[in-house]
Amino acid sequence: MKRIVQKKLFELCFGEGFAVVYFPILWIWSIDLLEWTKPYLMSIPSLFAFALLEFLLLQGSLYWYLKYKRVKQNSCSDLSPQIIRLFLLLKRLNLMLVGAGFLIFTIKYKINH
């Protein structure tokens, strides 16, 4: 059972970490390959949303890595109080960034319409 849990946690960590690296490559490749995408992909709202996605993926990858490490070391799967405080802080930051994203999209929409 432990091996199955370890494998799943590693897959989650690796998958999100891979996305953190692979998505920017695809983003840049799309800008260079498809000229018509440049205005859309390089706009402030799109860049903000992409940066937020990358930030969330990094957090997810870190979370799954820490859980994987705890299971691998045979310690309880609960995270330390310091790590929990960090993730609570990140949760608040994420909510503020999502709110800022809505503001950015609203402003961009009003400017263009």
Side-chain angles (χ1 to χ4, degrees):
M1 179 67 163
K2 178 184 168 188
R3 185 175 292 158
I4 293 170
V5 171
Q6 269 185 284
K7 182 177 185 264
K8 186 63 177 173
L9 292 172
F10 180 79
E11 288 171 357
L12 289 165
C13 173
F14 181 79
E16 291 196 21
F18 182 79
V20 168
V21 174
Y22 193 63
F23 286 176
I25 292 168
L26 287 177
W27 184 281
I28 293 166
W29 180 70
S30 296
I31 292 170
D32 290 341
L33 181 67
L34 307 168
E35 189 59 39
W36 64 269
T37 62
K38 194 169 200 165
Y40 301 106
L41 296 178
M42 295 304 291
S43 68
I44 297 296
S46 292
L47 290 170
F48 182 84
F50 186 74
L52 181 57
L53 170 68
E54 288 288 299
F55 185 57
L56 291 171
L57 285 169
L58 275 170
Q59 291 174 49
S61 186
L62 173 64
Y63 175 81
W64 294 121
Y65 170 74
L66 292 171
K67 294 297 268 186
Y68 167 77
K69 192 169 101 173
R70 301 281 297 185
V71 169
K72 190 173 181 176
Q73 294 172 346
N74 282 331
S75 52
C76 66
S77 63
D78 294 337
L79 296 173
S80 69
Q82 296 88 357
I83 297 297
I84 291 172
R85 278 195 294 275
L86 170 67
F87 280 111
L88 286 172
L89 176 68
L90 289 171
K91 179 181 177 181
R92 289 186 195 120
L93 180 59
N94 293 340
L95 290 172
M96 289 189 296
L97 290 172
V98 168
F102 282 121
L103 184 63
I104 289 169
F105 281 105
T106 303
I107 291 169
K108 180 72 170 169
Y109 179 78
K110 289 189 181 224
I111 289 172
N112 290 339
H113 288 88

